[in-house]
Amino acid sequence: MGNVCVKHKVHRVSCNLQRMQTDGKLFVGRMFSVQDSLPKLPVPPLEQTLQKYLRSVRPLLTDEEYVNTQKVVEDFKRDPGPKLQSLLEKRAQKETNWLSDWWTNTAYLEFRQPVTVNVSPGVVFPKQNYTDKEGQLRFTAKLISGLLDYKTMIDKQTLPVEKMGKQPLCMMQYYKILCGCRIPGKKKDSWVCYPPDEANPPKHFVVAHNNAFFFLEAYGSNNQALSTDQLYEQLKYIVYQSKAPEVPIGLLTTENRNKWAKSYELLLKDKETKTSLSIIQRSICLICIDNKLPDSAPGEEESTAAKMMLHGGGSQFNSANRWCDKTLQFIVGKNGVCGLNYEHTTAEGPPIISIVDHILDYCGKNEETSTPSPGIKAPRKLNFNLKFPELKENIEEAVDNIDSLVKDVDLNVFKFTEYGKNFPKSQKLSPDSYLQMAFQLAYYRLYSKPCATYETASLRQFQLGRTDTIRSCSMESLEFSKGMMDSTLSKQKKAELLRKAVAEHKNYVAEAIKGQGIDRHLLGLKLIALQNNMKVPALHMDMAYSLSSHHNISTSQVPAKHEACLVFGPTVPDGYGVCYNPQEKQIIFGVSAFNCCPETESRKFIDSIRQSLYEMKTVLEGSVQSKL
Ligand code: COA
Ligand code: HC5
């Protein structure tokens, strides 16, 4: 296996992730067996990015605007483009990944709005069949056992290396999910991570119930995980110890980050409170046992559940029963409603979903295999002393703010059951590109214009890779959308336009996942200018750049084995957030918008997506595929 050693700097910790001692032998886990041989993220050629950029903005601009942007790009190509490109290439030679730290800062740590709704996605699990408190706690205990089972594979690095096609993927995100936490800062947040091979890795959970937080040890005296029955007894004890709702201190974590940072600083002044905060940060994850669930109209149960996962329903429901800085919060609600919320700084959706799929498989098995662990201790309630009157005021303000945010979120879940990935596959079309074209058509039908659209592209083929943007709106998608709305066109012609638009999108995807996308490259060129005390280039100040970065549709495909529904908020006030889980015979969508924007409405967009999916199938079935 060789002497493989990856050093990766995180903000406060550096971890030697490859070497660990297992049963007295030096062990290089198979999870990281190819880590060192993964390619480094390339810096794409400047000329290529600029050409692609011009193509991508074309459908969003008038002729006159486009001519102007062409000139801006030409100027940039002469100066300062080449200089910035060469500086960026130098950075890329030095760093394991020229983008990853910049991305963590720009996309996450410097972002000042609340992580709730704006950053942290929610996942709804398939409904479980418990109906009372005992069932809720028994399911929670089993969920924890399933999680610990998965955690062993992370800790021992025995998880198989994930692949995309034949390409192995970077597994580093898995190492950060069950040991990390975001920390608020006044201008910029930071995060901590206590990975398994560092001293004192996390061995406890924090359980939230009735807005109180409890320290729950996961392992007994000989490092053996508590059995499911033992966990159940511990959870029962926690519930018994927290019969009445506590001061909703968790709401502070749903606040604007600067505000939360001010409160956090005050909290740290008290020694006991500081210890409580550290216990939360150093935990494996949060387990939220929720109490209340708002009534849902018939057919709305899944959307209500999705709101519970995204924001907790407001101060009257479960929003305070959370610690939103924590990377992972499993949420077990009443009547079988469960799922999770995760803070996005350290990981993308797929590793999270891999854990979810494992837990749901584990919970689906009836037999109880775990044996009791000796030497377990009773859970301990964490104390928070709100010494400063300002803290109480800040909590009151947080109540108002979360309630306004909750009111503003317009969220609906949509299960399209007519067909799934199977249909586009049968038409020899990429299901993902096909769905992206359905979004383009859905938007065009409602607004008679195209819009900048974001789709996540995975960069995990590269060391420490995160994401790039797939600009799904293209001239081809616009031609397709217009064509579909034109009653004079034949099905044959419409199908051709669809195939062309899908091909264009698929090509963009193929390039983006190879590190030849344009958005992160353009971001890099801007950040390297700033780092070298140069001004922001005119290209980045041009209206085409801001317009094409104002994503009225922000999307992400996150496939899951189980019937999970995934949701996140829009990234602009007048936009839609669309997360989709395409399964073989159905597609599950979570669609969000903001109520404060009169032009957007999640139901309206869902109806339009549904219509697009029907119409696209009809035109494909009513046409003959060209042999060319
Ligand atoms: N004909 C028939 N089948 C086809 C096809 C075609 N022309 N093109 C693709 N398919 C098949 C694929 O083989 C695949 O088969 P499978 O279901 O057996 O796996 C399936 O259709 C899906 O392929 P496709 O729809 O093209 O998508 P993809 O799996 O390649 O994913 C992205 C595309 C962009 C979603 C993916 O590359 C990516 O980057 N994902 C990252 C998402 C992410 O990280 N999200 C979370 C962010 S937090
Ligand atoms: C549970 C899965 C949620 C998916 C979250 C996701 O896709 O986040 C995107 C991350 C990225 O870098 O593209 C961001 N987005 C929500 C704005 C699409």
Side-chain angles (χ1 to χ4, degrees):
M1 279 192 200
N3 215 0
V4 195
C5 174
V6 176
K7 287 238 176 191
H8 166 55
K9 272 195 208 134
V10 291
H11 287 258
R12 292 193 186 171
V13 273
S14 82
C15 39
N16 182 343
L17 293 172
Q18 287 287 332
R19 290 163 182 273
M20 61 183 286
Q21 206 72 30
T22 309
D23 302 324
K25 277 182 276 168
L26 186 66
F27 179 75
V28 181
R30 80 167 149 148
M31 177 175 161
F32 290 119
S33 55
V34 295
Q35 190 71 21
D36 260 2
S37 55
L38 291 177
K40 281 177 74 170
L41 181 69
V43 177
L46 183 63
E47 178 86 25
Q48 172 187 298
T49 292
L50 295 178
Q51 260 176 28
K52 284 187 186 177
Y53 172 66
L54 279 176
R55 266 173 78 88
S56 77
V57 297
R58 187 65 195 94
L60 305 171
L61 302 179
T62 63
D63 291 349
E64 199 184 323
E65 286 164 348
Y66 184 66
V67 169
N68 188 44
T69 293
Q70 272 181 315
K71 192 176 166 316
V72 171
V73 168
E74 276 309 312
D75 289 349
F76 182 80
K77 208 186 286 179
R78 277 191 299 276
D79 179 52
K83 174 142 198 257
L84 298 179
Q85 176 76 0
S86 129
L87 288 167
L88 196 56
E89 284 167 359
K90 278 201 193 103
R91 176 182 165 94
Q93 275 169 11
K94 279 194 268 157
E95 304 273 332
T96 309
N97 183 316
W98 62 264
L99 173 66
S100 56
D101 279 355
W102 272 351
W103 183 244
T104 307
N105 289 335
T106 313
Y108 300 108
L109 301 177
E110 288 165 5
F111 187 76
R112 300 290 80 200
Q113 277 174 254
V115 291
T116 309
V117 176
N118 299 302
V119 179
S120 302
V123 180
V124 188
F125 298 172
K127 196 168 177 195
Q128 303 297 312
N129 59 5
Y130 60 81
T131 48
D132 59 6
K133 198 81 181 178
E134 185 190 334
Q136 184 185 7
L137 297 186
R138 287 217 178 270
F139 175 75
T140 312
K142 193 120 193 204
L143 181 152
I144 296 176
S145 291
L147 176 63
L148 288 173
D149 194 50
Y150 194 94
K151 186 175 177 313
T152 308
M153 293 191 279
I154 296 179
D155 293 353
K156 296 194 170 167
Q157 303 184 4
T158 55
L159 269 181
V161 176
E162 254 181 280
K163 290 192 172 164
M164 192 185 261
K166 285 189 183 139
Q167 290 297 324
L169 302 181
C170 175
M171 296 295 285
M172 201 62 81
Q173 294 178 22
Y174 283 90
Y175 230 53
K176 301 177 189 169
I177 295 171
L178 297 174
C179 55
C181 194
R182 186 165 169 154
I183 314 270
K186 274 192 186 149
K187 284 200 175 132
K188 179 184 164 187
D189 289 2
S190 56
W191 63 278
V192 285
C193 175
Y194 307 96
D197 59 342
E198 290 278 313
N200 301 321
K203 291 200 179 297
H204 67 273
F205 294 98
V206 167
V207 180
H209 179 251
N210 256 333
N211 310 340
F213 299 93
F214 289 82
F215 178 102
L216 168 66
E217 286 191 352
Y219 304 92
S221 56
N222 63 356
N223 228 5
Q224 182 187 329
L226 269 61
S227 71
T228 310
D229 284 342
Q230 286 175 316
L231 285 165
Y232 168 71
E233 290 302 327
Q234 302 285 64
L235 294 171
K236 227 164 79 173
Y237 176 83
I238 287 172
V239 167
Y240 185 76
Q241 296 289 324
S242 48
K243 283 194 184 133
E246 291 279 326
V247 175
I249 185 167
L251 285 184
L252 291 173
T253 68
T254 69
E255 275 283 38
N256 166 290
R257 304 304 296 174
N258 290 341
K259 272 196 194 163
W260 169 210
K262 282 187 200 154
S263 303
Y264 182 76
E265 231 174 55
L266 294 177
L267 288 172
L268 285 180
K269 288 182 197 273
D270 177 75
K271 209 169 152 211
E272 194 180 26
T273 307
K274 190 175 172 184
T275 305
S276 299
L277 292 169
S278 163
I279 289 170
I280 295 177
Q281 288 155 8
R282 298 192 71 107
S283 63
I284 297 169
C285 68
L286 241 80
I287 307 288
C288 308
I289 302 172
D290 278 6
N291 258 343
K292 304 176 201 150
L293 191 66
D295 296 331
S296 320
E300 302 266 308
E301 292 86 356
E302 207 130 38
S303 299
T304 305
K307 289 174 195 163
M308 273 310 105
M309 304 312 149
L310 191 67
H311 53 53
S315 62
Q316 289 305 301
F317 293 96
N318 300 302
S319 297
N321 204 41
R322 307 273 184 274
W323 198 267
C324 296
D325 292 352
K326 191 66 196 161
T327 305
L328 203 48
Q329 305 192 78
F330 286 95
I331 298 164
V332 186
K334 288 184 78 171
N335 304 329
V337 170
C338 54
L340 64 81
N341 180 279
Y342 85 93
E343 200 290 307
H344 213 317
T345 305
T346 48
E348 257 60 70
I352 306 282
I353 293 303
S354 167
I355 300 182
V356 170
D357 277 335
H358 183 87
I359 290 176
L360 291 173
D361 283 344
Y362 188 96
C363 291
K365 290 182 201 146
N366 282 327
E367 77 273 22
E368 179 48 70
T369 48
S370 51
T371 47
S373 170
I376 65 169
K377 294 186 201 130
R380 266 191 350 253
K381 189 168 164 211
L382 305 183
N383 288 325
F384 294 90
N385 304 314
L386 305 179
K387 274 186 182 159
F388 302 92
E390 216 177 317
L391 280 169
K392 290 191 184 121
E393 285 160 26
N394 292 356
I395 292 174
E396 275 166 33
E397 218 178 296
V399 168
D400 292 342
N401 288 339
I402 189 69
D403 289 344
S404 315
L405 182 59
V406 164
K407 256 196 217 136
D408 201 17
V409 173
D410 159 21
L411 179 70
N412 272 293
V413 170
F414 163 45
K415 274 192 183 162
F416 182 77
T417 51
E418 295 296 310
Y419 59 86
K421 286 196 283 189
N422 55 351
F423 176 69
K425 277 187 191 175
S426 73
Q427 292 288 325
K428 302 208 167 9
L429 292 171
S430 148
D432 183 70
S433 301
Y434 178 93
L435 288 172
Q436 287 291 326
M437 292 312 110
F439 303 150
Q440 291 302 304
L441 173 57
Y443 193 89
Y444 191 83
R445 180 183 296 109
L446 295 177
Y447 302 99
S448 307
K449 60 177 184 188
C451 72
T453 305
Y454 179 107
E455 182 190 6
T456 304
S458 174
L459 290 180
R460 282 182 55 213
Q461 293 184 19
F462 303 99
Q463 285 187 38
L464 306 182
R466 297 291 302 260
T467 64
D468 204 335
T469 308
I470 299 159
R471 294 187 167 210
S472 291
C473 176
S474 62
M475 283 310 284
E476 288 76 4
S477 73
L478 178 58
E479 288 308 311
F480 155 68
S481 305
K482 281 184 182 163
M484 289 294 282
M485 304 297 290
D486 181 346
S487 55
T488 65
L489 289 193
S490 66
K491 280 185 183 159
Q492 183 71 29
K493 180 70 191 158
K494 289 178 179 178
E496 276 166 26
L497 290 173
L498 170 56
R499 288 186 181 280
K500 224 170 137 187
V502 164
E504 170 70 18
H505 182 269
K506 190 65 195 167
N507 184 43
Y508 200 119
V509 171
E511 297 267 304
I513 61 176
K514 277 193 307 196
Q516 302 297 320
I518 63 175
D519 281 77
R520 301 301 179 265
H521 185 199
L522 291 174
L523 174 71
L525 292 166
K526 180 174 121 183
L527 293 179
I528 203 84
L530 295 177
Q531 205 176 61
N532 286 278
N533 300 319
M534 294 158 72
K535 52 182 199 284
V536 175
L539 181 132
H540 298 83
M541 309 284 270
D542 183 31
M543 66 87 79
Y545 188 72
S546 43
L547 189 67
S548 62
S549 311
H550 185 93
H551 303 120
N552 291 97
I553 315 178
S554 170
T555 73
S556 187
Q557 182 198 135
V558 188
K561 193 171 105 187
H562 290 271
E563 275 195 39
C565 168
L566 313 118
V567 288
F568 51 73
T571 51
V572 293
D574 56 342
Y576 291 104
V578 183
C579 198
Y580 52 106
N581 171 7
Q583 303 196 310
E584 218 41 46
K585 292 189 178 159
Q586 66 170 354
I587 304 152
I588 307 169
F589 299 89
V591 179
S592 62
F594 287 119
N595 285 317
C596 68
C597 173
E599 282 84 33
T600 55
E601 193 187 326
S602 66
R603 272 267 150 247
K604 198 168 75 173
F605 199 46
I606 285 172
D607 288 344
S608 194
I609 294 172
R610 184 190 290 109
Q611 196 176 338
S612 299
L613 292 173
Y614 283 137
E615 286 176 2
M616 286 159 68
K617 182 165 186 272
T618 307
V619 299
L620 286 170
E621 285 177 337
S623 68
V624 190
Q625 198 187 332
S626 146
K627 292 262 181 307
L628 292 174

